Amino acid sequence: VSPNARLSLQAAALGLGRAITRRTPERLLLVRFTADAPVPTSAKEVAIQRFEGMDTAVIGTAACSYQRLDARLIAELKGEYDYVILTAPPLSEGYEGVELAQAADMVLPVIEAETTRKPVLQSLLTQLQDAGAIVLGAILLGRRSHIPPVVYRLLIERKWRG
C-alpha cells in the first residue's frame, strides 16, 4: 500500500519478491491489482506469468470492491503459494489498498523519501489500522544521502575513538 506513486509499489514488491526468492525455494506469487484487468472469480481463473523466477498475476480492482471477492481469491492463492505479495493502486487513486489490507496477513506501506509527507503517512496508517490491518513496518524508497561519504567515515571514526 502506498499513499501515491504506483511505480514505487511495483519496485518495492519486485524487490521484496527477489529477496525472498534468493533466500528460499518456496513458491512466490506477485499480484498487482489494477483497474484495467480482468476480475477472476477463483484462483483457477487467474492468469499466471513467470518473471525472474517468480509467478506474477494482474487482477482487476473490481475484485476488491465487488462482493468482497478479494478475501476469497487471496485465500485461494495463499493456499497455492508460500508467499503472496499484493500491490494495489495508491490511496491517491482509491481505497482498494485499504480493502485489500483486510485480506492480507500483514501490510508494508511503501513510502517515498522526500515525497511522502508525514500527515499523508499518518492518514494511511490510521486507515490501515481502522481496517484491522497488521502493519509490520514500512519500505522506504529513494532515500538519498545528503552528507558526503567522506564525512560519514569521519563521524564513524570519531565515534569509535571516543
Side-chain angles (χ1 to χ4, degrees), residues 138-159:
I139 297 174
L140 178 64
L141 296 178
R143 182 184 174 275
R144 292 186 294 176
S145 175
H146 296 287
I147 299 175
V150 70
V151 175
Y152 272 128
R153 282 193 296 276
L154 287 172
L155 291 171
I156 290 171
E157 287 175 12
R158 187 175 273 189
K159 178 182 176 185

Side-chain angles (χ1 to χ4, degrees), residues 54-138:
M54 298 173 276
D55 286 349
T56 64
V58 179
I59 297 174
T61 52
C64 301
S65 341
Y66 182 70
Q67 300 176 1
R68 301 301 309 159
L69 292 176
D70 60 335
R72 186 181 69 220
L73 184 59
I74 291 168
E76 286 181 45
L77 292 170
K78 287 191 318 190
E80 295 180 21
Y81 289 88
D82 299 301
Y83 297 95
V84 179
I85 299 173
L86 310 171
T87 62
L91 287 182
S92 61
E93 297 177 19
Y95 291 99
E96 288 88 357
V98 173
E99 291 179 4
L100 279 170
Q102 297 171 353
D105 293 329
M106 63 189 99
V107 177
L108 289 168
V110 177
I111 303 160
E112 289 185 87
E114 301 181 27
T115 301
T116 305
R117 299 291 170 227
K118 185 176 178 179
V120 174
L121 177 59
Q122 288 172 326
S123 173
L124 170 63
L125 292 173
T126 299
Q127 291 175 45
L128 290 170
Q129 290 168 347
D130 290 348
I134 298 170
V135 179
L136 181 66

